[in-house]
């Protein structure tokens, strides 16, 4: 009976953990000095896929991504860009090979 309770607790904890992850929101952070107070998902996607390099007001957009393999980056790729990590890697490989693009730089964010 003790084993059953331990397994049940572990399953409950895992279920709660995955449920919280499923409801997590994706946030895109823009410099406070940026005049573009609101960006739609399509514009963000086009910036991060290298299809456009400017914000709607004409100022330069420089996308910076989290490091490859981070859960936040994977969630962003899936929810906003509509691509898995492997699809995105293939996408950028084609653009790099043809000289038509460079992926956003990855930055390791540290918790303070």
């Amino acid at each position: 009976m003790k084993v059953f309770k331990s397994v049940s607790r572990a399953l409950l904890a895992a279920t709660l953990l995955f449920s919280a992850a499923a409801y997590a929101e994706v946030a895109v952070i823009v410099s406070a000095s940026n005049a573009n107070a609101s960006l739609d998902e399509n514009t963000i996607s086009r910036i991060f896929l290298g299809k456009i390099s400017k914000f709607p007001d004409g100022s330069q957009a420089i996308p910076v991504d989290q490091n490859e393999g981070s859960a936040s980056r994977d969630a962003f790729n899936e929810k906003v860009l509509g691509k898995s990590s492997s699809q995105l890697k293939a996408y950028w490989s084609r653009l790099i090979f043809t000289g038509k693009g460079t992926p956003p730089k990855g930055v390791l964010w540290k918790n303070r």
Side-chain angles (χ1 to χ4, degrees), residues 47-109:
I47 290 170
F48 274 84
L49 291 174
K51 294 180 179 182
I52 59 174
S53 60
K54 298 193 181 296
F55 287 109
D57 71 352
S59 62
Q60 185 177 14
I62 303 171
V64 178
D65 210 344
Q66 293 197 8
N67 275 345
E68 196 171 335
S70 76
S72 298
R73 180 175 175 161
D74 292 342
F76 177 81
N77 293 345
E78 293 280 340
K79 292 178 180 178
V80 178
L81 305 181
K83 297 182 183 301
S84 68
S85 294
S86 60
Q87 289 172 322
L88 198 57
K89 191 177 280 191
Y91 172 84
W92 282 113
S93 292
R94 282 191 305 276
L95 290 179
I96 292 167
F97 181 74
T98 59
K100 294 182 180 178
T102 305
K105 298 287 183 203
V107 175
L108 179 60
W109 301 102

Side-chain angles (χ1 to χ4, degrees), residues 3-47:
V3 172
F4 180 73
K5 285 183 181 178
S6 295
V7 171
S8 295
R9 287 184 187 147
L11 288 174
L12 177 62
T15 301
L16 291 174
L17 177 67
F18 290 120
S19 296
Y23 291 109
E25 294 292 321
V26 173
V28 175
I29 300 169
V30 180
S31 169
S33 64
N34 190 308
N36 298 281
S38 178
L39 296 171
D40 63 21
E41 194 171 309
N42 182 51
T43 302
I44 294 166
S45 177
R46 291 173 53 81
I47 290 170

